[in-house]
């Protein structure tokens, strides 16, 4: 289960990593396995649309069953599929790195983190740091 306490740890560790790396101000959304928001923080200076992007990265990862890095790669190969996916999801899927699945000790998906604010790769670095700090495993691509 992804508790509020664990979600808060994920967010705080992700933001700590961002400050240590001097990344741009971030927004971090943590969703449970059902796609419901558990916790969210937006740093001072992060734009107002950052919530929607962070949420979309996490939600799309859960919806597709793999991290948003994989979704980004698939979008480049098949833009028509992403257009259809955007339509059927009501625009909630964001194909950019920074959406990372959260796995528990038994490799069960318990949620996802979405981060927006810097370039996708840096957002993803922070998501992984947060997930690992909370004692979970991070999956940026297709789970094995």
């Amino acid at each position: 289960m992804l508790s509020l306490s664990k979600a808060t740890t994920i967010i705080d560790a992700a933001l700590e990593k961002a400050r240590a790396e001097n990344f741009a101000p971030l927004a971090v959304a943590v969703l449970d396995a059902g796609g419901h928001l558990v916790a969210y923080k937006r740093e001072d200076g992060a734009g107002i649309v950052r919530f929607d992007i962070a949420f979309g990265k996490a939600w799309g990862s859960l919806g597709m069953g793999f991290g948003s890095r994989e979704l980004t790669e698939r979008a480049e190969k098949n833009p028509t599929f992403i257009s259809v996916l955007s339509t059927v999801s009501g625009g909630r899927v964001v194909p950019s790195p920074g959406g990372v699945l959260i796995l528990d000790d038994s490799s069960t998906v318990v949620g996802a983190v979405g981060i927006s604010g810097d370039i996708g790769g840096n957002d993803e670095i922070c998501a992984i740091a947060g997930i690992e700090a909370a004692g979970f495993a991070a999956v940026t691509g297709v789970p094995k």
Side-chain angles (χ1 to χ4, degrees):
M1 181 177 120
L2 182 59
S3 66
L4 177 58
S5 175
K6 289 285 189 176
T8 301
T9 297
I10 290 169
I11 291 172
D12 291 343
L15 295 176
E16 184 178 317
K17 177 68 171 175
R19 291 310 100 237
E21 299 293 335
N22 200 30
F23 292 159
L26 301 182
V28 184
V30 179
L31 282 57
D32 67 15
H36 303 100
L37 185 66
V38 177
Y40 171 76
K41 283 188 181 179
R42 181 185 64 84
E43 289 186 296
D44 296 341
I48 61 171
V49 77
R50 294 297 177 185
F51 169 78
D52 297 305
I53 297 169
F55 185 90
K57 287 180 180 185
W59 194 88
S61 295
L62 286 168
M64 293 304 295
F66 47 76
S68 64
R69 174 171 293 284
E70 175 71 19
L71 189 57
T72 303
E73 292 170 7
R74 291 183 185 199
E76 292 170 1
K77 295 175 188 170
N78 192 349
T80 302
F81 172 72
I82 296 303
S83 293
V84 170
L85 183 59
S86 179
T87 299
V88 300
S89 71
R92 291 184 283 184
V93 175
V94 177
S96 175
V100 181
L101 294 175
I102 305 167
L103 275 62
D104 66 11
D105 291 339
S106 64
S107 297
T108 300
V109 174
V110 295
V113 176
I115 298 184
S116 178
D118 207 289
I119 62 170
N122 291 346
D123 294 343
E124 184 178 80
I125 287 168
C126 295
I128 293 166
I131 291 167
E132 291 176 350
F136 293 112
V139 178
T140 60
V142 178
K144 296 179 181 178

